[in-house]
């Protein structure tokens, strides 16, 4: 087996193993809740009596998330080729659903699409994926540092703590403006802009946790939910399981038990599972819509390239 073939086989094995680990973690989360009958009954009762507004808030915050992700990738990718925001939204929606499968087919599909339709080399698409991950981790680390390293020691709560947690938004905006003025690196402003967008995306994730914890019978302040979002984001940075399956549920459960009021680890796990369940219900139809849009765009690209190919033939 040659080097590239061996490397490809190794990546395939690691991704399959990650998917298995994710499923095992997901099963462990369900077992942990089911093994405590009292906790299960309390969570079920809370869900039945939760106000409709809580479910609306959860669904809306989940719905917003992929479009913010698309904005991040749009900003980073535009320096390598002409990609429309509509295309990027469709790609991210399709990948959101496909990445629930082993081997991360959503990411592979997006890279292949950029190469075939947008004429963006694979290495540039891979660079964008790495940059997006680094900026996401940096935004989460800054948020965690501001909340746990600054706000908590100072005793800041409420609006003060939230302002510190969301400091990455103005910081990123200022960096984008400063970088945009430099002529030596014309695209460097994009990193500041994505840092701000990633921080905003973490705020939307925090809204998800506020709503999901509310539904299962607990409560968490928005600054507490921001801390949860930062910790969960850091936990799922390593591409172990598809879409962080299993890993995210446990990260939500453990962080909720630390930052939410009236929430045990089991109740926190229930909040994570609820968040995942609603996400899947939204990702399935949106993913199919995104995939249909991308398929149509690829057919159109082939049709447009066919005449030019024919005209070049003798």
């Amino acid at each position: 087996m040659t080097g590239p073939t061996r490397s490809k086989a190794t990546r395939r094995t690691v991704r399959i193993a990650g998917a298995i680990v994710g499923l095992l973690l997901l099963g462990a989360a369900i077992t942990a809740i089911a093994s405590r009958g009292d906790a299960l009954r309390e969570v079920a009762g809370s869900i039945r009596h939760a106000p409709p507004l809580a479910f609306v808030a959860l669904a809306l915050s989940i719905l917003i998330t992929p479009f913010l992700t698309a904005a991040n990738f749009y900003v980073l990718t535009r320096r390598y080729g002409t990609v429309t925001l509509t295309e990027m939204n469709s790609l991210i929606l399709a990948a959101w659903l496909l990445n629930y499968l082993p081997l991360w087919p959503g990411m592979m599909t997006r890279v292949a699409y950029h190469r075939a339709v947008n004429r963006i080399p694979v290495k540039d698409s891979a660079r964008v994926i790495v940059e997006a991950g680094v900026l996401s981790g940096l935004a989460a680390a800054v948020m965690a540092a501001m909340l746990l390293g600054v706000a908590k020691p100072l005793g800041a709560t409420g609006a003060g703590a939230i302002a510190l947690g969301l400091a990455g938004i103005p910081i990123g905006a200022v960096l984008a403006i400063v970088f945009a003025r430099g002529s030596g690196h014309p695209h460097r402003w994009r990193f500041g802009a994505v840092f701000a967008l990633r921080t905003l995306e973490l705020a939307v994730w925090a809204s998800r946790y506020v709503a999901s914890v509310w539904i299962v019978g607990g409560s968490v302040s928005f600054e507490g939910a921001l801390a949860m979002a930062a910790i969960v984001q850091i936990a799922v940075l390593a591409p172990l399981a598809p879409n962080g399956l299993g890993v995210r549920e446990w990260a939500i459960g453990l962080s909720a038990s630390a930052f939410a009021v009236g929430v045990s680890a089991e109740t926190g796990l229930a909040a994570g599972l609820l968040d995942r369940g609603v996400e899947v219900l939204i990702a399935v139809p949106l993913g199919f819509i995104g995939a249909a849009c991308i398929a149509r765009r690829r057919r159109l690209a082939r049709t447009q390239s066919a005449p030019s190919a024919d005209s070049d033939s003798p």
Side-chain angles (χ1 to χ4, degrees):
M1 185 181 292
T2 60
T5 303
R6 187 184 301 112
S7 177
K8 185 176 180 180
T10 300
R11 288 196 300 270
R12 180 185 178 89
T13 301
V14 169
R15 287 169 181 161
I16 292 175
I20 294 172
V21 170
L23 289 173
L24 290 174
L25 287 172
L26 189 66
I30 296 172
T31 301
I33 300 170
S35 63
R36 282 196 54 189
D38 55 339
L40 183 60
R41 286 190 295 272
E42 288 176 6
V43 167
S46 297
I47 292 175
R48 282 196 303 269
H49 296 98
L53 178 61
F55 289 99
V56 171
L58 178 58
L60 285 177
S61 55
I62 290 174
L63 185 62
I64 292 170
T65 307
F67 295 100
L68 279 173
T69 302
N72 287 297
F73 279 99
Y74 174 76
V75 171
L76 290 173
T77 305
R78 283 282 292 182
R79 70 191 193 274
Y80 295 120
T82 302
V83 184
T84 68
L85 187 56
T86 300
E87 277 181 295
M88 191 59 76
N89 280 322
S90 299
L91 283 166
I92 293 299
L93 289 175
W96 190 24
L97 178 59
L98 287 172
N99 279 342
Y100 271 103
L101 302 174
L103 305 180
W104 302 81
M107 182 177 67
M108 298 299 123
T109 299
R110 181 156 53 84
V111 170
Y113 176 91
H114 285 318
R115 183 174 183 271
V117 177
N118 306 124
R119 301 294 186 263
I120 298 175
V122 171
K123 63 180 180 63
D124 292 332
S125 292
R127 184 180 294 114
V128 166
I129 292 170
V130 172
E131 290 169 348
V134 169
L135 288 165
S136 183
L138 184 59
V142 169
M143 180 176 285
M146 296 299 284
L147 287 167
L148 304 178
V150 179
K152 188 174 181 179
L154 292 177
T157 58
I162 293 170
L164 287 170
L166 298 180
I169 295 176
I171 289 173
V174 169
L175 288 174
I177 293 171
V178 171
F179 289 159
R181 293 177 176 176
S183 57
H185 302 278
H187 294 291
R188 197 166 56 174
W189 66 269
R190 298 177 187 274
F191 300 122
V194 170
F195 181 78
L197 283 169
R198 282 299 191 190
T199 304
L200 178 60
E201 190 174 344
L202 284 170
V204 175
W205 278 97
S207 300
R208 292 173 64 159
Y209 301 149
V210 169
S212 58
V213 167
W214 182 14
I215 291 171
V216 298
S219 65
V220 60
S221 64
F222 193 70
E223 61 265 30
L226 286 173
M228 286 177 59
I231 292 170
V232 172
Q233 181 58 54
I234 292 171
V236 300
L237 272 179
L240 174 65
N243 275 341
L245 193 67
V247 178
R248 197 173 82 198
E249 284 73 14
W250 278 98
I252 292 173
L254 296 176
S255 60
S257 65
F259 294 102
V261 177
V263 173
S264 63
E266 290 82 7
T267 308
L269 285 170
L273 290 169
L274 174 68
D275 176 83
R276 177 73 72 181
V278 177
E279 177 183 283
V280 170
L281 290 175
I282 294 174
V284 169
L286 289 184
F288 278 115
I289 291 172
C293 292
I294 289 306
R296 185 167 62 250
R297 179 67 181 86
R298 289 201 68 167
R299 286 195 299 269
L300 179 61
R302 291 194 192 99
T303 302
Q304 291 175 339
S305 62
S308 60
D310 293 342
S311 63
D312 291 339
S313 59

